[in-house]
């Protein structure tokens, strides 16, 4: 059959009048935007809290403007060259396991039926007053919309720890944070955790190598930018969404992968 395939390809090429030097890929290169949330509430006391009404308007914006909200795993497969992405691909993630993920985010996500990845540090779960319980995480998992992945074991600042510890103790500390988190999440939630978001988006060569060593397929930071097949898979950028990202501003964040500086603030020293 090989000759037949070859002649069909030759025939179809002959029928297409493309200038010889132009290389036309079978599909235009895709890219995705990964959004990172933390907590939700009636007011926004800081950068990491998005008002419930703002979050609802952002989901509606994605819905109304033809965005395709895809699971984070699809983006990982795309970077690896193992899968395709739809046009206007957006991914939703939320870090830290705050209670408002259960009370505010869950009902909205169920309404829009969008996939979400949660990055959790297990030491807080069923422990810190602001955090969800294991039971709540299991309930989120059972909805089918929430995938739960690792945010290290107790959310250290690796930059601080690197200064504080000897080189060999720091290496052990990093390995422990990455292994322990995976092990506890796997055991508690009955799954195979293989995605990592490092706290504060901190990364360097050593942390990227440690993530690979610990068996993570991909690791995520907090940074501007769109994700393409050229993205470094151990430092995939996610955009920190704030309360100011509404309407057109949110649209341009999704289009550009960064937040434009408002005209009123240009040249301001604040
Ligand atoms: Zn965090």
């Amino acid at each position: 059959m090989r000759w037949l395939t070859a002649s069909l390809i030759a025939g179809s090429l002959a029928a297409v009048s493309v200038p010889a030097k132009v290389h036309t890929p079978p599909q235009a290169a895709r890219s995705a935007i990964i959004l990172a949330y933390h907590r939700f509430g009636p007011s926004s006391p800081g950068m990491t809290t998005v008002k419930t009404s703002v979050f609802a308007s952002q989901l509606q914006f994605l819905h109304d403007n033809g965005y395709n909200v895809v699971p984070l795993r699809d983006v990982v497969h795309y970077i690896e060259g193992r899968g395709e992405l739809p046009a206007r691909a957006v991914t939703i993630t939320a870090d830290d396991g705050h209670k408002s993920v259960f009370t505010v985010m869950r009902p909205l996500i169920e309404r829009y039926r969008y996939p979400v990845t949660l990055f959790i540090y297990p030491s807080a779960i069923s422990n810190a007053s602001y955090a969800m319980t294991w039971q709540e995480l299991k309930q989120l998992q059972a909805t089918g919309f929430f995938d739960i992945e690792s945010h290290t074991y107790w959310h250290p600042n690796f930059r601080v720890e690197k200064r504080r510890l000897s080189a060999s103790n720091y290496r052990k500390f990093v390995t422990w944070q990455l292994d322990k988190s995976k092990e506890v999440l796997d055991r508690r939630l009955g799954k195979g955790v293989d995605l990592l978001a490092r706290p504060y988006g901190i990364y360097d060569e050593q942390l990227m190598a440690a993530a690979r060593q610990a068996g993570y397929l991909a690791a995520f930071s907090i940074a501007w930018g769109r994700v393409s097949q050229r993205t470094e898979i151990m430092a995939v950028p996610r955009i920190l969404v704030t309360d100011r990202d509404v309407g057109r501003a949110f649209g341009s964040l999704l289009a550009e992968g960064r937040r434009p500086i408002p005209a009123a603030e240009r040249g301001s020293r604040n």
Side-chain angles (χ1 to χ4, degrees):
M1 292 298 282
R2 189 163 293 175
W3 63 272
L4 178 59
T5 313
S7 72
L8 280 174
I9 290 169
S12 62
L13 281 178
V16 180
S17 63
V18 174
K21 283 181 185 168
V22 176
H23 170 69
T24 311
Q27 188 180 2
R30 300 281 199 212
S31 63
I33 290 283
I34 306 176
L35 304 175
Y37 292 91
H38 289 77
R39 42 183 79 186
F40 308 90
S43 63
S44 175
M47 278 278 283
T48 52
T49 303
V50 170
K51 279 207 290 281
T52 305
S53 58
V54 169
F55 181 55
S57 79
Q58 289 168 340
L59 295 179
Q60 188 63 38
F61 187 96
L62 293 174
H63 176 266
D64 291 345
N65 291 278
Y67 284 94
N68 288 299
V69 180
V70 298
L72 187 58
R73 195 160 295 277
D74 288 7
V75 178
V76 171
H77 288 164
Y78 179 67
I79 300 171
E80 291 177 319
R82 289 203 280 148
E84 290 299 331
L85 282 179
R88 296 168 89 75
V90 174
T91 293
I92 301 172
T93 68
D95 293 3
D96 297 351
H98 193 260
K99 275 191 180 305
S100 59
V101 167
F102 190 80
T103 55
V104 175
M105 190 185 207
R106 180 194 48 133
L108 284 164
I109 285 300
E110 285 180 324
R111 186 189 305 163
Y112 288 88
R113 307 182 67 79
Y114 287 155
V116 172
T117 294
L118 300 181
F119 287 106
I120 298 295
Y121 60 104
S123 71
I125 302 304
S126 291
N127 189 16
S129 58
Y130 57 81
M132 285 184 278
T133 63
W134 288 110
Q135 198 48 44
E136 286 167 334
L137 279 181
K138 280 185 195 156
Q139 276 178 255
L140 291 182
Q141 219 180 0
T143 65
F145 297 114
F146 291 84
D147 180 34
I148 296 163
E149 301 289 340
S150 168
H151 196 35
T152 71
Y153 187 63
W154 55 254
H155 207 282
N157 181 324
F158 284 127
R159 220 171 271 147
V160 171
E161 300 299 333
K162 192 171 192 168
R163 281 198 300 269
R164 202 173 65 84
L165 298 169
S166 69
S168 81
N169 282 346
Y170 174 67
R171 207 165 34 240
K172 282 183 210 144
F173 174 78
V174 170
T175 303
W176 185 80
Q177 286 287 337
L178 303 191
D179 288 347
K180 179 80 174 167
S181 168
K182 205 161 156 6
E183 174 213 313
V184 173
L185 290 169
D186 284 351
R187 178 163 41 82
R188 289 282 194 166
L189 302 170
K191 66 176 308 253
V193 164
D194 55 13
L195 306 179
L196 169 72
R198 281 165 297 237
Y200 315 105
I202 292 169
Y203 71 93
D204 57 21
E205 288 296 333
Q206 186 181 358
L207 289 169
M208 293 199 284
R212 237 175 258 124
Q213 188 77 36
Y216 289 98
L217 284 183
F220 300 84
S221 65
I222 297 284
W224 298 127
R226 304 185 64 88
V227 179
S228 72
Q229 282 184 321
R230 292 189 303 275
T231 298
E232 162 56 55
I233 200 155
M234 287 296 152
V236 181
R238 297 181 301 150
I239 293 171
L240 184 67
V241 185
T242 71
D243 219 41
R244 291 159 68 185
D245 301 315
V246 282
R248 243 189 342 197
F250 188 53
S252 90
L253 189 75
L254 296 168
E256 306 298 328
R258 60 187 61 247
R259 189 174 296 116
I261 301 164
E265 287 180 20
R266 272 182 218 137
S268 152
R269 285 159 62 190
N270 297 321

